[in-house]
Amino acid sequence: MKRFAVTALALLASTAAVTGARAETVVITAARMLDVASGKLIDKPMIVAVDGRITQVGRQGELADSSKIDRRIDLGALTILPGLIDMHVHLSSDPTLSGMQALRYPASFWTVLGVAMAKRTIDAGFTTVRNVGAADYADLGLKMAIERGSIPGPRIVPATYAIGATGGHCDSNELPAAYVFDRPGIADGPDGVRQKVRELHRRGAEVIKYCATGGVFSIGTSVGAQQYSQSEMNALVEEAHMLGMKVAAHAHGNNGIKAAIRAGVDTVEHVSFADAEAFDLAKKAGTWFSMDIYNDDYILAEGAKNGVPEASLAKEREVGLKQRQTFQAAWKAGVKMVFGSDAGVYPHGDNGRQFAKMVEWGMAPADAIRAATVKAAEALGREADVGQIAVGRYADIIAVAGDPTADVNLLRDIKAVVKGGALVKDAR
Ligand code: ARG
């Protein structure tokens, strides 16, 4: 049986080689390119991509035999850089439907909404996202539809359900006790969390997200309180790593942050109340921080109107400024940072607004851009295919009207987006 399957596959492959279309060669040019790794601008770049992957990067006039070019994408006077990566989004969430009103909408609504949000996200220049929590496996459906080319959208690294403790940040605490329902992501005890990791992996999760502490938007949780024991976190992370998946821990409180780092998570999300000891632990373990420091402005301005309960707004007032101060201190202390916006809590498509906050709170513009490109790819374990304009990686390229290291707000106005060598947005 196994041998038959192998033969059938080989047959399919060879048929494609005989009848399949010839490789397509695309050449992309622009006035300038930001090399994100060095932070340097390169004049008159030219990138060659074959079947969506970059095969050459150089200067115009230096490369390729023009007879082999199938398509040219000339981005004129613009400056190009790699497609951006957001490490923390919820494509199937809408910030304007916060609180109990969300319960009026069926599962299908949120998935359909995700279709529109995926388009906004890629139009904003984010060609890869890590979706860290979606009900009903909405992120898997979106990913499949995007990969087939049925709908536009970014490359998605799906977590499916966020795993969490009974009564914790990821549970359905907003409901009166008599109406509480079982959330598929809930698991308790070392064995329980292991089993949950296996189950989500079997379903198609590519990263594991879990809630290590309380949060702002959950009802009845203290934002700083740890919600899994050290032994539960150890088991969860060990299991996920065994299966080849990275782990993202939602954690605001200091004890939960430290326990997550000690358990070996790859990224800590939010990280609001981390202290100097937590920074040291993260540096030693190589743990990344993913801090959504734009959020506070939006939540405090729009939250009440959007239906966010007062209890959550009160928690936000506790967290907002502190999180930004922690971001500044952690970066200064040398903790590795990636760009994670928590879009879904604020409007999809506005992801790029966070760059200016990161700069305001102590990062050089080039570092903020690295956090959303090379560094994010490293944290994803995806240096082979995303995060840089380099040979072997996808031709995921965005264009802005100037030097983004001089003004990061140029990243709020993306003029063109190329994904896998195809021009998917052209707003020139
Ligand atoms: N999903 C997060 C939570 O509920 C959002 C936190 C937003 N606030 C902030 N200051 N980053 O905890």
Side-chain angles (χ1 to χ4, degrees), residues 209-287:
K209 156 82 178 294
Y210 78 94
C211 293
T213 73
V216 171
F217 283 91
S218 50
I219 299 303
T221 71
S222 156
V223 66
Q226 187 172 334
Q227 293 186 338
Y228 269 140
S229 65
Q230 187 69 60
S231 61
E232 288 172 305
M233 294 195 209
N234 292 349
L236 182 150
V237 174
E238 186 190 61
E239 190 65 36
H241 284 171
M242 215 160 77
L243 292 168
M245 292 184 292
K246 306 255 184 214
V247 181
H250 158 106
H252 289 282
N254 198 26
N255 290 337
I257 292 165
K258 288 181 193 172
I261 297 169
R262 289 193 175 107
V265 301
D266 300 278
T267 66
V268 185
E269 311 300 305
H270 311 300
V271 218
S272 308
F273 299 113
D275 67 6
E277 192 197 358
F279 302 163
D280 276 349
L281 286 173
K283 279 164 62 183
K284 287 203 186 87
T287 317

Side-chain angles (χ1 to χ4, degrees), residues 3-316:
R3 173 163 318 148
F4 170 75
V6 171
T7 322
L9 270 176
L11 219 111
L12 270 175
S14 62
T15 319
V18 176
T19 63
R22 189 176 65 84
E24 192 201 29
T25 301
V26 179
V27 167
I28 301 148
T29 48
R32 286 188 301 182
M33 171 172 82
L34 176 65
D35 174 43
V36 287
S38 68
K40 293 209 174 86
L41 285 166
I42 294 160
D43 279 334
K44 296 195 184 307
M46 172 164 157
I47 292 118
V48 183
V50 177
D51 288 342
R53 294 262 187 162
I54 298 171
T55 55
Q56 298 183 70
V57 181
R59 308 281 285 275
Q60 288 163 35
E62 280 175 5
L63 301 176
D65 157 12
S66 61
S67 64
K68 293 202 188 105
I69 298 169
D70 299 297
R71 223 154 23 87
R72 289 177 186 278
I73 301 172
D74 179 20
L75 296 168
L78 299 175
T79 300
I80 57 172
L81 65 155
L84 303 169
I85 302 172
D86 193 331
M87 297 290 279
H88 191 132
V89 304
H90 301 279
L91 288 172
S92 53
S93 298
D94 182 339
T96 65
L97 291 174
S98 292
M100 297 290 271
Q101 59 178 324
L103 296 170
R104 290 206 302 264
Y105 297 83
S108 56
F109 170 83
W110 300 103
T111 308
V112 171
L113 186 95
V115 174
M117 299 309 135
K119 165 130 174 62
R120 282 197 202 173
T121 302
I122 189 155
D123 283 349
F126 288 79
T127 51
T128 301
V129 298
R130 195 174 61 159
N131 203 83
V132 284
D136 303 292
Y137 304 94
D139 49 354
L140 286 184
L142 290 170
K143 179 185 167 77
M144 286 170 166
I146 291 165
E147 283 179 2
R148 289 197 77 231
S150 306
I151 60 167
R155 302 181 195 283
I156 297 177
V157 180
T160 73
Y161 280 91
I163 300 178
T166 295
H169 179 64
C170 297
D171 204 351
S172 52
N173 305 331
E174 67 273 31
L175 296 170
Y179 294 93
V180 163
F181 61 94
D182 290 333
R183 289 243 166 140
I186 300 307
D188 297 289
D191 290 345
V193 296
R194 271 187 199 281
Q195 191 275 336
K196 190 57 69 181
V197 168
R198 289 174 185 169
E199 185 187 329
L200 298 184
H201 179 253
R202 181 180 61 189
R203 293 271 198 152
E206 290 173 21
V207 60
I208 291 296
K209 156 82 178 294
Y210 78 94
C211 293
T213 73
V216 171
F217 283 91
S218 50
I219 299 303
T221 71
S222 156
V223 66
Q226 187 172 334
Q227 293 186 338
Y228 269 140
S229 65
Q230 187 69 60
S231 61
E232 288 172 305
M233 294 195 209
N234 292 349
L236 182 150
V237 174
E238 186 190 61
E239 190 65 36
H241 284 171
M242 215 160 77
L243 292 168
M245 292 184 292
K246 306 255 184 214
V247 181
H250 158 106
H252 289 282
N254 198 26
N255 290 337
I257 292 165
K258 288 181 193 172
I261 297 169
R262 289 193 175 107
V265 301
D266 300 278
T267 66
V268 185
E269 311 300 305
H270 311 300
V271 218
S272 308
F273 299 113
D275 67 6
E277 192 197 358
F279 302 163
D280 276 349
L281 286 173
K283 279 164 62 183
K284 287 203 186 87
T287 317
W288 300 86
F289 284 4
S290 163
M291 301 181 69
D292 54 329
I293 59 168
Y294 170 74
N295 260 331
D296 183 59
D297 283 14
Y298 179 80
I299 297 165
L300 293 184
E302 307 292 328
K305 194 170 70 202
N306 288 342
V308 177
E310 178 46 39
S312 289
L313 294 176
K315 288 198 263 186
E316 183 55 41

Side-chain angles (χ1 to χ4, degrees), residues 402-424:
D403 174 7
T405 62
D407 177 9
V408 278
N409 276 324
L410 289 168
L411 297 168
R412 286 172 55 183
D413 185 14
I414 304 298
K415 301 295 185 194
V417 177
V418 174
K419 184 188 168 204
L423 187 62
V424 295

Side-chain angles (χ1 to χ4, degrees), residues 348-401:
H348 294 284
D350 282 353
N351 314 55
R353 285 177 181 244
Q354 187 172 278
F355 286 109
K357 278 286 166 211
M358 293 165 88
V359 171
E360 184 187 330
W361 289 88
M363 259 192 181
D367 286 317
I369 296 169
R370 278 185 201 111
T373 52
V374 259
K375 298 296 172 184
E378 207 182 312
L380 286 173
R382 294 277 296 266
E383 298 103 314
D385 65 354
V386 296
Q388 223 178 316
I389 299 178
V391 171
R393 304 201 198 201
Y394 288 117
D396 292 352
I397 294 166
I398 61 170
V400 293

